[in-house]
Amino acid sequence: MQECIFCKIVNKEIPADVVYEDEEVLAFRDINPQAPVHVLVISKAHHSDLAAAVRADAGLVARTLAALTGIAKDLGLEETGHRVVVNTGEDGYQTVQHLHFHLLGKRRLAWPPG
Ligand code: DGP
């Protein structure tokens, strides 16, 4: 995906503050953090949203989430609690069309979301 900003981060064409990387998964700090810890966890393979990713490779989605739980633990979010968010489509306020899991923590988050 030539124009996808997250694919460019995967390909190291643009820099990011990477907190985790393996063969399939990349996690980096959000450029516009909404909490003291705000990390985006993505598969390196491009899938536009959650439904597309599940249809194409549900196992990859599961492995991405497994990596996320490890990242949450490494960042000290297991004890304090945290939130995982997947914005989807227009109403969900998805602005980047490459599936990403927001991992937010280290502050008390409000509910319901805005
Ligand atoms: P969403 O609205 O769920 O699609 O969230 C996209 C997030 O991606 C948003 O919180 C800002 C973040 N973001 C957009 N461009 C970049 C970038 O170039 N680098 C990093 N680190 N984050 C980005």
Side-chain angles (χ1 to χ4, degrees):
M1 274 284 167
Q2 265 176 351
E3 296 310 316
C4 172
I5 192 125
F6 288 177
C7 286
K8 287 183 177 170
I9 290 174
V10 167
N11 294 327
K12 316 286 188 215
E13 291 168 35
I14 60 173
D17 185 356
V18 172
V19 300
Y20 175 87
E21 181 166 15
D22 66 26
E23 271 184 17
E24 293 188 303
V25 176
L26 187 71
F28 51 93
R29 293 191 192 274
D30 195 293
I31 205 166
N32 184 23
Q34 301 301 311
V37 173
H38 186 172
V39 167
L40 302 173
V41 184
I42 68 171
S43 68
K44 290 182 173 178
H46 181 94
H47 298 289
S48 58
D49 62 21
L50 185 58
V54 167
R55 275 194 297 270
D57 192 347
L60 176 62
V61 175
R63 292 190 295 279
T64 305
L65 283 170
L68 181 151
T69 63
I71 295 161
K73 186 173 184 190
D74 289 348
L75 295 177
L77 301 182
E78 216 176 51
E79 311 79 40
T80 53
H82 55 274
R83 186 172 292 168
V84 180
V85 174
V86 183
N87 295 327
T88 305
E90 216 172 301
D91 282 356
Y93 208 80
Q94 182 180 6
T95 60
V96 176
Q97 312 308 315
H98 180 135
L99 173 62
H100 49 283
F101 297 93
H102 295 260
L103 171 61
L104 300 136
K106 293 293 179 191
R107 79 168 166 86
R108 184 63 65 94
L109 298 163
W111 192 264

